[in-house]
Amino acid sequence: MLERLIAIEEKYNELSEQLSKPEILSDIKKTLELSKEQAALKNAYDAYQKYKKIESDLEEAKEMTKDSELGEFAKEEISRLNKEKETLESEIEVLLLPQDPNDGKNVIVEIRGAAGGDEANIFAGDLYRMYTKYAEKQGWKIEVLSEEHSDAGGYPLVEFMVKGDSVYSKLKYESGAHRVQRVPVTETQGRVHTSTATVLVMPEAEEVDVEINPGDLRIDVYRSTGAGGQCVNTTDSAVRITHLPTNTVVTCQNERSQIQNKEKAMQMLRTRLYEAKLREQEEKLGSERRSKIGTGDRSEKIRTYNYPQNRVTDHRIGYTTKNLDRVMEGNLDDIIEALITEDQNRKLKEA
């Protein structure tokens, strides 16, 4: 553990030195790259500084035990410092676990109404609102990329970007099938129905993550559709991009100009191809994927939202809360923290 902490400290200091050089500071891209690398080390670096201070204080306290007047005080101080050191060592164990390189990234989320017809689309809209509320509480920004409205309400499909601090580290556990049990607004007999919506959370891909050959793309433009009147564009500003080798199709029509829609569509395409690449890598690793909390497959039922009992159950970790009403208002912290803790525990066992 100490060897790794020393290596982290050396790397952190090396990066600090590089970031103070004028030639680096004049290169914005390089500065951002190094700053990002240093930020990823900061928690472990700070923990090691605290650890060294405890070690130093322990040495001083041990010396004090030789003093007849300060001996008892020194023994109490040693006991306190040892407990503090033990707690810090546990925290450092978690900090030194292999980090997901995508944890610091923004995400693109896709929500689809699945089994259940109109009620599934309405539930997809409820999930979108839940994540919007959660993002607001986190200080994140939501940007809709593509949406299809259902006549009964909600969405057959909505895609949006979430931007902020370490978004993927918290939302990555949300991929999968979400099940709702409630009396739909369309139900006249008062019977409880079960419907599902699928969520897919993808880390935003940068150009360096995925190389796209322009010759592999078919780009179509068409007239945007909307609610009518001024909401409908009178020019061909909507963009559809097809990646021919994988037959991946993305569309964007939420921006006013064709150029902006094309940029957003390319961003979506890169992210989808990157997500497919990550999935392929995980399939090759096999055991690592099985040890994760869920596979992220759309078909995997990860959570049930039971309205009659005001209950939410996450099936992957057996977590249940009777605060469905608060969860749907974006209070997801307890569920997400439980998932993060379980993920860390599994990694610690493997380590």
Side-chain angles (χ1 to χ4, degrees), residues 1 10 30 40 42 73 75-76 84 93 96 121 138 149 160 168 172 194 204 219 223 257 265-266 285 320-321 351:
M1 183 182 81
E10 288 174 354
K30 188 67 176 174
K42 191 175 190 312
F73 168 77
K75 287 176 184 177
E76 289 176 12
E84 199 175 321
E93 278 186 345
L96 293 181
N121 295 336
Q138 299 294 315
H149 292 274
F160 56 97
Y168 186 71
K172 64 183 176 182
T194 298
E204 181 191 14
I219 301 175
R223 192 153 297 177
S257 77
M266 282 300 296
L285 292 172
T320 295
T321 177

Side-chain angles (χ1 to χ4, degrees), residues 21-173:
K21 293 178 179 177
E23 63 268 26
I24 297 293
L25 292 171
S26 62
D27 185 337
I28 296 173
K29 189 177 179 182
K30 188 67 176 174
T31 300
L32 286 172
E33 183 185 313
L34 295 178
S35 297
K36 194 174 178 182
E37 188 178 353
Q38 189 182 51
L41 301 174
K42 191 175 190 312
N43 287 340
Y45 173 84
D46 289 344
Y48 184 42
Q49 304 315 302
K50 190 176 176 182
Y51 185 86
K52 288 196 295 183
K53 178 70 167 61
I54 291 173
E55 288 277 72
S56 173
D57 290 348
L58 272 170
E59 287 301 314
E60 287 183 21
K62 285 172 185 175
E63 283 297 316
M64 286 166 60
T65 57
K66 298 172 185 176
D67 189 311
S68 56
E69 293 181 8
L70 297 174
E72 283 305 312
F73 168 77
K75 287 176 184 177
E76 289 176 12
E77 187 68 0
I78 288 170
S79 176
R80 182 188 69 79
L81 287 167
N82 276 327
K83 286 178 184 175
E84 199 175 321
K85 180 182 174 183
E86 192 177 325
T87 301
L88 185 58
E89 283 175 343
S90 297
E91 291 173 8
I92 288 171
E93 278 186 345
V94 173
L95 288 171
L96 293 181
L97 286 172
Q99 297 298 305
D100 186 331
N102 293 311
D103 273 353
K105 292 189 174 185
N106 299 325
V107 302
I108 288 179
V109 182
E110 173 201 282
I111 303 176
R112 289 179 181 269
D118 288 340
E119 169 64 0
N121 295 336
I122 292 169
F123 180 51
D126 292 339
L127 289 176
Y128 169 63
R129 181 177 178 275
M130 178 185 77
Y131 291 126
T132 300
K133 292 280 187 181
Y134 178 64
E136 286 174 6
K137 294 176 192 297
Q138 299 294 315
W140 298 338
K141 183 183 174 185
I142 293 265
E143 188 180 327
V144 176
L145 300 171
S146 177
E147 57 189 335
E148 296 173 16
H149 292 274
S150 167
D151 291 338
Y155 304 92
L157 169 67
V158 59
E159 293 175 282
F160 56 97
M161 174 168 277
V162 188
K163 295 181 179 180
D165 183 33
S166 301
V167 179
Y168 186 71
S169 70
K170 293 186 176 180
L171 288 185
K172 64 183 176 182
Y173 304 104

Side-chain angles (χ1 to χ4, degrees), residues 261-272:
N261 280 324
K262 185 179 176 183
E263 285 175 0
K264 290 283 173 63
M266 282 300 296
Q267 190 177 38
M268 292 164 71
L269 178 62
R270 276 196 301 271
T271 296
R272 286 194 172 279

Side-chain angles (χ1 to χ4, degrees), residues 110 112 176-177 198-200 272 279 296-301:
E110 173 201 282
R112 289 179 181 269
T198 61
V199 176
L200 179 61
R272 286 194 172 279
R279 197 170 287 263
D297 291 337
R298 290 175 205 263
S299 59
E300 183 194 13
K301 181 184 72 179

